[in-house]
Amino acid sequence: MSKYDQLKKEAYDANMQLPKLGLVLFTFGNVSVVDRANQVFAIKPSGVPYEELSPEKMVIVDFDANVIEGALRPSSDTKTHAVLYKHWTSIGSIVHTHSTYATAWAQAQRDIPIFGTTHADHTTAFIPCAPPMSDEMIKGDYETETGFQILNCFKEKALDPVETEMMLVGNHAPFTWGKNAHKAVYNAAVLEEVARMAYLTLQINPQAPVLKDALIKKHFERKHGPDSYYGQ
Amino acid sequence: MSKYDQLKKEAYDANMQLPKLGLVLFTFGNVSVVDRANQVFAIKPSGVPYEELSPEKMVIVDFDANVIEGALRPSSDTKTHAVLYKHWTSIGSIVHTHSTYATAWAQAQRDIPIFGTTHADHTTAFIPCAPPMSDEMIKGDYETETGFQILNCFKEKALDPVETEMMLVGNHAPFTWGKNAHKAVYNAAVLEEVARMAYLTLQINPQAPVLKDALIKKHFERKHGPDSYYGQ
Amino acid sequence: MSKYDQLKKEAYDANMQLPKLGLVLFTFGNVSVVDRANQVFAIKPSGVPYEELSPEKMVIVDFDANVIEGALRPSSDTKTHAVLYKHWTSIGSIVHTHSTYATAWAQAQRDIPIFGTTHADHTTAFIPCAPPMSDEMIKGDYETETGFQILNCFKEKALDPVETEMMLVGNHAPFTWGKNAHKAVYNAAVLEEVARMAYLTLQINPQAPVLKDALIKKHFERKHGPDSYYGQ
Amino acid sequence: MSKYDQLKKEAYDANMQLPKLGLVLFTFGNVSVVDRANQVFAIKPSGVPYEELSPEKMVIVDFDANVIEGALRPSSDTKTHAVLYKHWTSIGSIVHTHSTYATAWAQAQRDIPIFGTTHADHTTAFIPCAPPMSDEMIKGDYETETGFQILNCFKEKALDPVETEMMLVGNHAPFTWGKNAHKAVYNAAVLEEVARMAYLTLQINPQAPVLKDALIKKHFERKHGPDSYYGQ
């Protein structure tokens, strides 16, 4: 028994959604879930196949990436998660995958343009792609610097992590987040589909225009504005 | 017990076909089925995951989109369905999805050219893509205007909704319909496949010619003309 | 009981392979199997969904496309099958699908170039694409003329239907065949994969060279020559 | 009972992973596993469908490709495996597939550029594509020469088979290997995904830059260097 059993269970359930949604090959992904009261988060252990995971194997880590509880080494991306939880105080869960289409956009080092309402239902912005890091950042504390690269990308583009819950790390792969694990995993699947549709759109019409401002605003407010009328 | 139990069951069964056919991610789609005698239709509730649906959760709505029966809020696209049922008096069911390839063509704002007999078996026309709406329409009663955008697109292109049972709303996604729910869902899957084949055709041969008139006519009449000889 | 029970069973089993192999959407395909002694073949009934098929529903037809046995109308493509059985006396089974990638090449009206050994393992030739028919042929006995279009395509390109067991009807879709139903269905799946690989090859390198003659010959003979050493 | 029962079981299990991972159509692939003490390896029999395989059907072959034990003919690619085991003394298992995207790159005769960390996690090099063989090599002992073509490709590019465990034979298809069967099969799946991502990257941005040296080094060392910190 541990006071983090519920948190571990949530992190376990969310991690197990990734292979079900076709978002990971082997161990190429991880989900963490935060406990704001105790300033810790539960995250997948490093390199453990999904079929061998169990709630007990989740690792509890604080916001400086120190292991608080757990027999296994946490995900190699743990420091990136820690930086994001520390600085973005409203997010409840983070997902990292190497899902195919989102990763291809990250490798192409391009923001994903907003071509349709599927995209606008989730954010009014292009999905931002952070540029590759400087050699100093890479050679230094790489995973911590990846976290700062994400923070800087949002600062420079004046994006709000509550309104845009997904992004690409250039040459690497996507990160998504949300108020809870369900939303963060949902966003990972939505990003992959938006990335796929944008890719196809450009293949069909390289001059495809981006969405009109009025339509961007309308669709986002339908789902997220004060007068939203989507859902129950 | 309700006099709409059978209608709700039909709408439920048809909605459940969408994830089975790979046409929806999460809640990105909905099916409605009409009861012409009572001037109402049953439609999916808004934002409810498919695995949580049941026949009782379907919402009964009249042609002005007023809820007649049901505890849940109907799909946010309900007014679009209502406009189509009101004006196209021969259709029995409507499907809206964000299926990947059809949505990519909608985002590319291009009609789908008729490149082969798979397409001609279902309509003699290019699959029309309605242009994005004016800002006034978007800011106004958006979903109702979407219905009129569809009607206007068919009027301007002189298309008959009985002969062409599928279309794309530019920047948004596809709508299909049919005399009953089975046919409307069938059309949604056919449109996705036709969209995918047309995309691939253009990648293989950007100068691919469209189908000859004689072949268009032949294939459509094989399935739909007075001397049709397809099926039992 | 009928003397064609075994033939019907073979045709049924082969038809049921098409959806399992992902080669058909709904009823977009059919398999026939010949009985050379009795000069008839068993073929799928027209427009019947695969999940409703049974061996008894197969239709027995002669080489002039007359129904010999069976309560249902045979596939609308029956006359095409009949022409091929009549003129190509060594083939034992025919498959017609609208499989996605092969159909895209047919719509693009391009032969599939021989880019690799996956292709060469099955034929030394480009997969031929017959040109669209003349308006007279289309308006006439269309399905019979489709059969002649296939025969003419092989004659003009000096291809042997025993060595090349697959082709594309321009603007329409693929036909494959073989000495028996197993081989004909196998060829349908191989063609779809070869078509997909050739499409991707051209996307990666539009100047991709075709296979060297020595390699074409080597791979085909490994599997099919007098000194073949593939298989048991 | 045979002293190779365990080896056969390992080879059988590994072969059965190929269809599960979507890496083979029909019999288009094979896995072998080596026993260094006895200088033999177990390999799939030629042309036997995966569903009919069993551990007993695996064939035991020495490094000159002589059958040591087994009633069936070994894979037609056996001599290629033999050459690699003989010359690369540290590898424990070899996988050959015709997986779609990797084969498309092989047909395009292009090395796969290193576009992202998914690739760099597994090798610091472009995935090499060996050029097509000379006509003499093809007409000679083809499968043995294929092995030498692979060895020469690594020699010319100064690649180490312990650091780069995957490659493409031009116009043919991929080969991967590893210290054991699990790793070799894992590499076959990783290569297919890396090939797919690289293809998509070039479609999205034909000028996509390759990964910075610092990032290549960092990611590879995270997983494989002396201070690696990935996994348990």
Side-chain angles (χ1 to χ4, degrees), chain B residues 115-118 186 193 196-197 199-201 203-205 211-212 214-215 218-219 222 229-232, chain C residues 26-28 46 72-73 76-77 98 100 104-105 107-108 110 133 135 138 142-143 171-172 199 203:
Chain B
F115 283 130
T117 62
T118 319
Y186 169 92
E193 183 65 8
R196 191 179 173 206
M197 285 176 173
Y199 155 73
L200 291 169
T201 301
Q203 298 294 112
I204 294 169
N205 183 0
L211 211 55
K212 302 175 70 156
L215 203 49
K218 181 70 187 182
H219 263 264
R222 245 173 48 133
Y229 51 94
Y230 183 88
Q232 301 300 327
Chain C
F26 299 121
T27 60
F28 301 3
S46 182
L72 297 169
R73 197 191 294 192
S76 59
D77 299 302
H98 286 220
T100 310
W105 280 91
Q107 294 190 160
R110 291 190 56 181
M133 287 181 263
D135 287 9
I138 293 167
Y142 175 62
E143 288 79 11
N171 284 138
H172 188 164
Y199 155 73
Q203 298 295 112

Side-chain angles (χ1 to χ4, degrees), chain A residues 25-28 45-48 72-73 76-77 98 100-101 103-105 107-110 132-135 138 140 142-143 171-172 199 203, chain D residues 21 115-118 121-122 186 189-190 193 196-201 203-205 208-209 211-212 214-215 218-219 222 228-232:
Chain A
L25 176 70
F26 299 121
T27 59
F28 302 2
S46 182
V48 177
L72 298 169
R73 198 190 294 190
S76 58
D77 299 302
H98 286 220
T100 311
Y101 288 89
T103 301
W105 280 91
Q107 294 191 160
Q109 295 186 23
R110 290 189 58 181
M133 285 181 264
S134 70
D135 286 7
I138 292 168
Y142 175 62
E143 288 79 11
N171 282 138
H172 187 164
Y199 155 73
Q203 297 295 110
Chain D
L21 288 163
F115 284 132
T117 62
T118 318
D121 282 339
H122 298 92
Y186 168 92
V190 166
E193 183 64 9
R196 190 178 175 207
M197 284 177 173
Y199 155 73
L200 291 169
T201 301
Q203 298 295 110
I204 294 170
N205 183 2
L211 212 55
K212 304 175 71 157
L215 203 49
K218 181 70 187 182
H219 263 264
R222 242 170 53 129
S228 73
Y229 50 93
Y230 183 88
Q232 299 301 325

Side-chain angles (χ1 to χ4, degrees), chain A:
Chain A
M1 285 284 297
S2 145
K3 67 174 173 174
Y4 299 120
D5 279 355
Q6 177 56 27
L7 188 67
K8 288 178 185 176
K9 180 69 166 53
E10 277 175 46
Y12 167 75
D13 287 345
N15 272 288
M16 294 308 285
Q17 286 299 307
L18 298 188
K20 269 194 202 156
L21 288 162
L23 298 173
V24 292
L25 176 70
F26 299 121
T27 59
F28 302 2
N30 47 70
V31 185
S32 66
V33 186
V34 83
D35 173 343
R36 289 280 169 197
N38 290 298
Q39 298 277 301
V40 297
F41 58 93
I43 192 165
K44 185 178 170 297
S46 182
V48 177
Y50 286 96
E51 56 269 32
E52 295 173 17
L53 278 189
S54 64
E56 303 75 45
K57 288 185 181 160
M58 296 296 118
V59 189
I60 302 295
V61 183
D62 70 17
F63 291 0
D64 295 314
N66 301 305
V67 172
I68 301 299
E69 191 179 299
L72 298 169
R73 198 190 294 190
S75 163
S76 58
D77 299 302
T78 296
K79 287 180 179 173
T80 309
H81 291 240
V83 168
L84 297 182
Y85 283 127
K86 203 169 193 171
H87 291 81
W88 287 348
T89 52
S90 60
I91 66 176
S93 177
I94 297 168
V95 176
H96 173 52
T97 77
H98 286 220
S99 67
T100 311
Y101 288 89
T103 301
W105 280 91
Q107 294 191 160
Q109 295 186 23
R110 290 189 58 181
D111 297 350
I112 303 178
I114 185 163
F115 283 131
T117 61
T118 319
H119 184 140
D121 282 339
H122 298 94
T123 173
T124 61
F126 283 26
I127 312 293
C129 179
M133 285 181 264
S134 70
D135 286 7
E136 287 66 39
M137 288 169 83
I138 292 168
K139 286 173 190 162
D141 191 357
Y142 175 62
E143 288 79 11
T144 301
E145 297 290 1
T146 300
F148 283 112
Q149 191 75 354
I150 295 171
L151 295 180
N152 287 339
C153 169
F154 268 62
K155 222 173 281 172
E156 276 167 28
K157 292 179 188 257
L159 293 172
D160 177 347
V162 174
E163 284 184 7
T164 299
E165 300 179 324
M166 49 188 75
M167 63 84 63
L168 309 170
V169 174
N171 282 138
H172 187 164
F175 283 82
T176 65
W177 50 88
K179 63 181 173 184
N180 56 35
H182 175 79
K183 189 68 194 313
V185 170
Y186 169 92
N187 284 334
V190 166
L191 170 55
E192 179 64 4
E193 183 65 8
V194 165
R196 191 178 173 208
M197 286 176 171
Y199 155 73
L200 291 169
T201 301
L202 282 179
Q203 297 295 110
I204 294 169
N205 183 0
Q207 266 72 49
V210 298
L211 211 55
K212 303 175 70 157
D213 282 341
L215 203 49
I216 293 174
K217 216 175 148 224
K218 182 69 187 183
H219 263 264
F220 194 72
E221 289 180 353
R222 245 171 47 131
K223 273 206 165 177
H224 306 278
D227 303 318
S228 74
Y229 50 94
Y230 182 88
Q232 300 300 327

